[in-house]
Amino acid sequence: QKEVEQDPGPLSVPEGAIVSLNCTYSNSAFQYFMWYRQYSRKGPELLMYTYSSGNKEDGRFTAQVDKSSKYISLFIRDSQPSDSATYLCAQGAQKLVFGQGTRLTINP
Amino acid sequence: DTGVSQNPRHKITKRGQNVTFRCDPISEHNRLYWYRQTLGQGPEFLTYFQNEAQLEKSRLLSDRFSAERPKGSFSTLEIQRTEQGDSAMYLCASSPPDGSGGGDTQYFGPGTRLTVL
């Protein structure tokens, strides 16, 4: 079992939809969780990070951590075609463990 | 504000050759990381430095791989006797010192894409 599991998709939704991206993790030792966005052939771009449980909001993006179920979520409101990318969840400190990435397409 | 830079961006080499990649972190970031990413997968941790000290190495980092950060600024990753399985994107990231308010948030460079023929 991988330490961080993420459905690779692909996921395709219409513009304006609310997108929900999810990961599960198995190692409870690390309390930092991150979401990165990666465009094709580019490096990952940090979107959000959270510590421990709870929600964190930044514009159209909300990151959520549920420690009881070991579940990490990223919600994108009012999705735009420019949000089309691969979204990576990660856990850890120093040594980050990434999920496989979910490929998201927002259709105009 | 310049981000993490990596050179070269692309490298094509023949099997058995040695290659070296360079990473320049964000100024004043004392931690520097190397990851490898293959197609359709998330990045995998290789190694990291705090200042000039290499503090952790993944078992993925075979003895053909060596990384250095001699003055605590830029870093190099060398792969000796390259194999076709080394073909991947090599990503560098850096993070600010503890207490700067960013946790251990890592900022990635654009990567070096290696193709071994």
Side-chain angles (χ1 to χ4, degrees):
Chain A
Q1 180 191 7
K2 289 187 176 181
E3 287 189 46
V4 178
E5 299 266 9
Q6 185 175 11
D7 186 339
L11 181 62
S12 181
V13 301
E15 183 176 355
I18 296 175
V19 177
S20 172
L21 302 167
N22 306 294
C23 293
T24 57
Y25 65 93
S26 57
N27 189 341
S28 298
F30 301 106
Q31 298 297 307
Y32 280 106
F33 302 92
M34 295 89 175
W35 283 96
Y36 286 85
R37 177 174 63 194
Q38 187 173 29
Y39 293 111
S40 181
R41 297 185 174 269
K42 304 289 186 184
E45 171 195 6
L46 179 66
L47 277 178
M48 300 185 71
Y49 74 92
T50 55
Y51 177 75
S52 193
S53 280
N55 292 0
K56 184 173 182 179
E57 189 173 321
D58 184 2
R60 297 185 294 110
F61 298 88
T62 300
Q64 193 173 78
V65 177
D66 182 345
K67 285 175 62 178
S68 61
S69 59
K70 297 184 179 178
Y71 212 72
I72 316 164
S73 301
L74 178 71
F75 299 96
I76 308 173
R77 291 182 298 282
D78 187 25
S79 55
Q80 305 293 311
S82 59
D83 296 328
S84 298
T86 295
Y87 289 79
L88 296 155
C89 61
Q91 178 195 19
Q94 289 85 58
K95 174 186 171 183
L96 292 184
V97 179
F98 283 85
Q100 186 176 352
T102 299
R103 189 171 174 182
L104 173 67
T105 300
I106 309 297
N107 300 303
Chain B
D1 178 31
T2 56
V4 177
S5 62
Q6 292 187 246
N7 287 288
R9 295 292 308 278
H10 301 93
K11 179 71 177 178
I12 300 174
T13 191
K14 292 183 179 179
R15 188 176 55 186
Q17 297 295 305
N18 298 344
V19 294
T20 300
F21 310 140
R22 176 177 169 129
C23 171
D24 288 88
I26 294 171
S27 178
E28 298 179 355
H29 279 194
N30 64 336
R31 291 193 180 124
L32 185 150
Y33 311 80
W34 286 100
Y35 291 81
R36 180 172 68 187
Q37 186 177 25
T38 54
L39 197 62
Q41 301 297 317
E44 293 177 292
F45 172 83
L46 292 178
T47 188
Y48 93 96
F49 295 83
Q50 180 162 309
N51 299 313
E52 63 275 10
Q54 188 173 17
L55 296 187
E56 187 170 348
K57 290 167 47 172
S58 164
R59 64 178 183 276
L60 292 175
L61 214 65
S62 76
D63 57 5
R64 296 186 298 106
F65 288 70
S66 62
E68 294 183 343
R69 195 182 183 199
K71 297 182 180 179
S73 57
F74 72 92
S75 175
T76 58
L77 177 68
E78 181 184 15
I79 309 174
Q80 296 182 324
R81 304 181 304 280
T82 52
E83 302 172 356
Q84 288 183 325
D86 297 332
S87 295
M89 173 84 92
Y90 289 84
L91 294 161
C92 176
S94 68
S95 65
D98 288 337
S100 59
D104 194 38
T105 49
Q106 297 181 22
Y107 298 86
F108 283 81
T112 294
R113 183 170 296 279
L114 173 66
T115 302
V116 181
L117 301 176

